[in-house]
Short mmCIF file of all heavy atoms in Angstrom, two decimals:
data_model
loop_
_atom_site.label_atom_id
_atom_site.label_comp_id
_atom_site.label_asym_id
_atom_site.label_seq_id
_atom_site.Cartn_x
_atom_site.Cartn_y
_atom_site.Cartn_z
N VAL J 1 -1.25 -2.87 -6.11
CA VAL J 1 -2.17 -4.00 -6.04
C VAL J 1 -3.12 -3.82 -4.86
O VAL J 1 -4.35 -4.03 -4.99
CB VAL J 1 -1.39 -5.32 -5.91
CG1 VAL J 1 -2.34 -6.48 -5.60
CG2 VAL J 1 -0.62 -5.60 -7.18
N ALA J 2 -2.56 -3.41 -3.69
CA ALA J 2 -3.41 -3.23 -2.51
C ALA J 2 -4.44 -2.12 -2.73
O ALA J 2 -5.59 -2.23 -2.29
CB ALA J 2 -2.54 -2.90 -1.30
N ARG J 3 -4.06 -1.06 -3.42
CA ARG J 3 -4.99 0.03 -3.68
C ARG J 3 -6.10 -0.43 -4.63
O ARG J 3 -7.28 -0.10 -4.43
CB ARG J 3 -4.23 1.21 -4.28
CG ARG J 3 -5.07 2.48 -4.46
CD ARG J 3 -4.17 3.64 -4.91
NE ARG J 3 -4.91 4.88 -4.98
CZ ARG J 3 -5.63 5.28 -6.02
NH1 ARG J 3 -5.70 4.51 -7.10
NH2 ARG J 3 -6.29 6.43 -6.00
N ARG J 4 -5.71 -1.21 -5.65
CA ARG J 4 -6.72 -1.70 -6.60
C ARG J 4 -7.70 -2.65 -5.92
O ARG J 4 -8.92 -2.58 -6.13
CB ARG J 4 -6.02 -2.38 -7.78
CG ARG J 4 -7.00 -2.84 -8.87
CD ARG J 4 -6.27 -3.32 -10.11
NE ARG J 4 -5.49 -4.51 -9.87
CZ ARG J 4 -4.17 -4.55 -9.83
NH1 ARG J 4 -3.48 -3.44 -10.01
NH2 ARG J 4 -3.53 -5.68 -9.59
N LEU J 5 -7.15 -3.53 -5.05
CA LEU J 5 -8.02 -4.47 -4.34
C LEU J 5 -8.95 -3.75 -3.38
O LEU J 5 -10.11 -4.15 -3.20
CB LEU J 5 -7.15 -5.49 -3.58
CG LEU J 5 -6.38 -6.50 -4.44
CD1 LEU J 5 -5.49 -7.38 -3.56
CD2 LEU J 5 -7.34 -7.36 -5.27
N TYR J 6 -8.44 -2.66 -2.76
CA TYR J 6 -9.29 -1.92 -1.83
C TYR J 6 -10.44 -1.25 -2.58
O TYR J 6 -11.60 -1.23 -2.11
CB TYR J 6 -8.48 -0.89 -1.07
CG TYR J 6 -9.32 -0.06 -0.14
CD1 TYR J 6 -9.76 -0.58 1.08
CD2 TYR J 6 -9.73 1.22 -0.50
CE1 TYR J 6 -10.57 0.17 1.93
CE2 TYR J 6 -10.54 1.98 0.33
CZ TYR J 6 -10.95 1.45 1.55
OH TYR J 6 -11.77 2.19 2.38
N ILE J 7 -10.11 -0.68 -3.74
CA ILE J 7 -11.16 -0.04 -4.53
C ILE J 7 -12.21 -1.06 -4.97
O ILE J 7 -13.42 -0.77 -5.01
CB ILE J 7 -10.54 0.67 -5.76
CG1 ILE J 7 -9.66 1.85 -5.31
CG2 ILE J 7 -11.62 1.16 -6.71
CD1 ILE J 7 -8.91 2.52 -6.43
N MET J 8 -11.75 -2.29 -5.23
CA MET J 8 -12.67 -3.35 -5.64
C MET J 8 -13.42 -3.94 -4.45
O MET J 8 -14.29 -4.80 -4.63
CB MET J 8 -11.90 -4.45 -6.37
CG MET J 8 -11.27 -3.99 -7.69
SD MET J 8 -10.12 -5.23 -8.36
CE MET J 8 -11.21 -6.64 -8.57
N GLY J 9 -13.05 -3.52 -3.23
CA GLY J 9 -13.73 -4.03 -2.05
C GLY J 9 -13.21 -5.37 -1.58
O GLY J 9 -13.86 -6.04 -0.77
N ARG J 10 -12.05 -5.78 -2.04
CA ARG J 10 -11.50 -7.09 -1.67
C ARG J 10 -10.32 -6.97 -0.71
O ARG J 10 -9.59 -7.93 -0.50
CB ARG J 10 -11.05 -7.81 -2.96
CG ARG J 10 -12.22 -8.11 -3.90
CD ARG J 10 -11.72 -8.54 -5.25
NE ARG J 10 -10.81 -9.69 -5.18
CZ ARG J 10 -10.16 -10.18 -6.22
NH1 ARG J 10 -10.29 -9.60 -7.42
NH2 ARG J 10 -9.37 -11.22 -6.06
N ASN J 11 -10.13 -5.78 -0.15
CA ASN J 11 -9.01 -5.55 0.76
C ASN J 11 -9.45 -4.57 1.83
O ASN J 11 -10.33 -3.73 1.59
CB ASN J 11 -7.80 -4.98 0.00
CG ASN J 11 -6.50 -5.30 0.68
OD1 ASN J 11 -6.49 -5.83 1.79
ND2 ASN J 11 -5.39 -4.99 0.03
N SER J 12 -8.83 -4.67 3.01
CA SER J 12 -9.21 -3.79 4.11
C SER J 12 -8.36 -2.52 4.10
O SER J 12 -7.29 -2.46 3.48
CB SER J 12 -9.06 -4.51 5.45
OG SER J 12 -7.68 -4.73 5.73
N ILE J 13 -8.82 -1.53 4.84
CA ILE J 13 -8.08 -0.28 4.96
C ILE J 13 -6.76 -0.49 5.69
O ILE J 13 -5.76 0.18 5.41
CB ILE J 13 -8.94 0.80 5.68
CG1 ILE J 13 -8.22 2.14 5.68
CG2 ILE J 13 -9.27 0.36 7.09
CD1 ILE J 13 -8.01 2.73 4.33
N LEU J 14 -6.73 -1.48 6.60
CA LEU J 14 -5.48 -1.77 7.32
C LEU J 14 -4.43 -2.32 6.37
O LEU J 14 -3.25 -1.97 6.45
CB LEU J 14 -5.76 -2.76 8.45
CG LEU J 14 -6.66 -2.25 9.59
CD1 LEU J 14 -6.88 -3.34 10.63
CD2 LEU J 14 -6.04 -1.02 10.25
N ASP J 15 -4.84 -3.19 5.47
CA ASP J 15 -3.90 -3.73 4.49
C ASP J 15 -3.39 -2.62 3.56
O ASP J 15 -2.21 -2.60 3.19
CB ASP J 15 -4.57 -4.83 3.65
CG ASP J 15 -4.86 -6.08 4.48
OD1 ASP J 15 -4.12 -6.29 5.46
OD2 ASP J 15 -5.80 -6.79 4.15
N LEU J 16 -4.27 -1.71 3.19
CA LEU J 16 -3.86 -0.60 2.33
C LEU J 16 -2.86 0.30 3.04
O LEU J 16 -1.83 0.69 2.46
CB LEU J 16 -5.08 0.21 1.89
CG LEU J 16 -4.78 1.46 1.03
CD1 LEU J 16 -4.07 1.07 -0.26
CD2 LEU J 16 -6.06 2.22 0.73
N ASN J 17 -3.13 0.63 4.29
CA ASN J 17 -2.21 1.48 5.06
C ASN J 17 -0.86 0.80 5.24
O ASN J 17 0.20 1.44 5.18
CB ASN J 17 -2.81 1.82 6.42
CG ASN J 17 -3.96 2.81 6.32
OD1 ASN J 17 -4.10 3.50 5.31
ND2 ASN J 17 -4.78 2.87 7.36
N ALA J 18 -0.87 -0.50 5.47
CA ALA J 18 0.39 -1.24 5.61
C ALA J 18 1.18 -1.20 4.30
O ALA J 18 2.42 -1.06 4.30
CB ALA J 18 0.11 -2.67 6.02
N ALA J 19 0.49 -1.32 3.17
CA ALA J 19 1.17 -1.27 1.87
C ALA J 19 1.77 0.10 1.61
O ALA J 19 2.89 0.22 1.08
CB ALA J 19 0.19 -1.64 0.76
N ILE J 20 1.04 1.15 1.98
CA ILE J 20 1.57 2.51 1.82
C ILE J 20 2.80 2.71 2.70
O ILE J 20 3.82 3.27 2.26
CB ILE J 20 0.48 3.55 2.17
CG1 ILE J 20 -0.66 3.49 1.16
CG2 ILE J 20 1.06 4.95 2.21
CD1 ILE J 20 -1.86 4.36 1.52
N SER J 21 2.72 2.26 3.94
CA SER J 21 3.86 2.40 4.86
C SER J 21 5.08 1.64 4.35
O SER J 21 6.21 2.14 4.39
CB SER J 21 3.46 1.91 6.25
OG SER J 21 4.55 1.97 7.15
N ASP J 22 4.87 0.41 3.86
CA ASP J 22 5.99 -0.38 3.34
C ASP J 22 6.59 0.27 2.10
O ASP J 22 7.81 0.25 1.88
CB ASP J 22 5.53 -1.79 3.01
CG ASP J 22 5.22 -2.60 4.27
OD1 ASP J 22 5.64 -2.17 5.36
OD2 ASP J 22 4.54 -3.64 4.15
N LYS J 23 5.73 0.85 1.24
CA LYS J 23 6.21 1.53 0.03
C LYS J 23 7.12 2.70 0.39
O LYS J 23 8.23 2.85 -0.16
CB LYS J 23 5.04 2.02 -0.79
CG LYS J 23 5.41 2.95 -1.95
CD LYS J 23 4.18 3.48 -2.64
CE LYS J 23 3.43 4.49 -1.78
NZ LYS J 23 4.10 5.80 -1.70
N ASP J 24 6.66 3.54 1.32
CA ASP J 24 7.47 4.70 1.72
C ASP J 24 8.75 4.28 2.42
O ASP J 24 9.82 4.86 2.19
CB ASP J 24 6.64 5.60 2.64
CG ASP J 24 5.45 6.23 1.92
OD1 ASP J 24 5.42 6.16 0.68
OD2 ASP J 24 4.57 6.78 2.61
N SER J 25 8.66 3.26 3.26
CA SER J 25 9.85 2.79 3.98
C SER J 25 10.88 2.21 3.01
O SER J 25 12.09 2.44 3.16
CB SER J 25 9.44 1.73 5.01
OG SER J 25 10.57 1.22 5.68
N ALA J 26 10.42 1.49 2.01
CA ALA J 26 11.34 0.91 1.03
C ALA J 26 12.03 1.99 0.20
O ALA J 26 13.22 1.90 -0.10
CB ALA J 26 10.59 -0.06 0.11
N ARG J 27 11.27 3.06 -0.15
CA ARG J 27 11.88 4.15 -0.90
C ARG J 27 12.93 4.87 -0.06
O ARG J 27 14.03 5.18 -0.55
CB ARG J 27 10.80 5.13 -1.34
CG ARG J 27 11.30 6.34 -2.11
CD ARG J 27 12.00 5.95 -3.41
NE ARG J 27 11.17 5.14 -4.27
CZ ARG J 27 10.26 5.64 -5.12
NH1 ARG J 27 10.11 6.95 -5.23
NH2 ARG J 27 9.56 4.82 -5.88
N ARG J 28 12.62 5.12 1.20
CA ARG J 28 13.61 5.77 2.09
C ARG J 28 14.85 4.90 2.27
O ARG J 28 15.97 5.40 2.26
CB ARG J 28 12.97 6.04 3.45
CG ARG J 28 11.82 7.04 3.44
CD ARG J 28 11.36 7.37 4.84
NE ARG J 28 10.16 8.20 4.83
CZ ARG J 28 8.93 7.75 5.08
NH1 ARG J 28 8.75 6.48 5.39
NH2 ARG J 28 7.90 8.58 5.04
N ASN J 29 14.65 3.61 2.42
CA ASN J 29 15.78 2.71 2.61
C ASN J 29 16.65 2.64 1.36
O ASN J 29 17.89 2.56 1.46
CB ASN J 29 15.28 1.31 2.98
CG ASN J 29 16.40 0.36 3.29
OD1 ASN J 29 17.21 0.62 4.18
ND2 ASN J 29 16.48 -0.74 2.57
N HIS J 30 16.03 2.69 0.20
CA HIS J 30 16.79 2.68 -1.06
C HIS J 30 17.71 3.91 -1.13
O HIS J 30 18.90 3.80 -1.47
CB HIS J 30 15.82 2.66 -2.23
CG HIS J 30 16.51 2.51 -3.56
ND1 HIS J 30 15.90 2.81 -4.75
CD2 HIS J 30 17.77 2.11 -3.89
CE1 HIS J 30 16.73 2.59 -5.74
NE2 HIS J 30 17.88 2.17 -5.26
N ILE J 31 17.17 5.08 -0.82
CA ILE J 31 17.98 6.30 -0.85
C ILE J 31 19.08 6.24 0.21
O ILE J 31 20.23 6.62 -0.04
CB ILE J 31 17.08 7.53 -0.64
CG1 ILE J 31 16.12 7.69 -1.82
CG2 ILE J 31 17.91 8.79 -0.47
CD1 ILE J 31 15.08 8.77 -1.64
#
């Protein structure tokens, strides 16, 4: 969602980076 919103210009790069970091952290925590 954050990537789509950024492409549409409705989200900042900081929000996108935070979403990427949370995604990777959640995957590591799951494993």
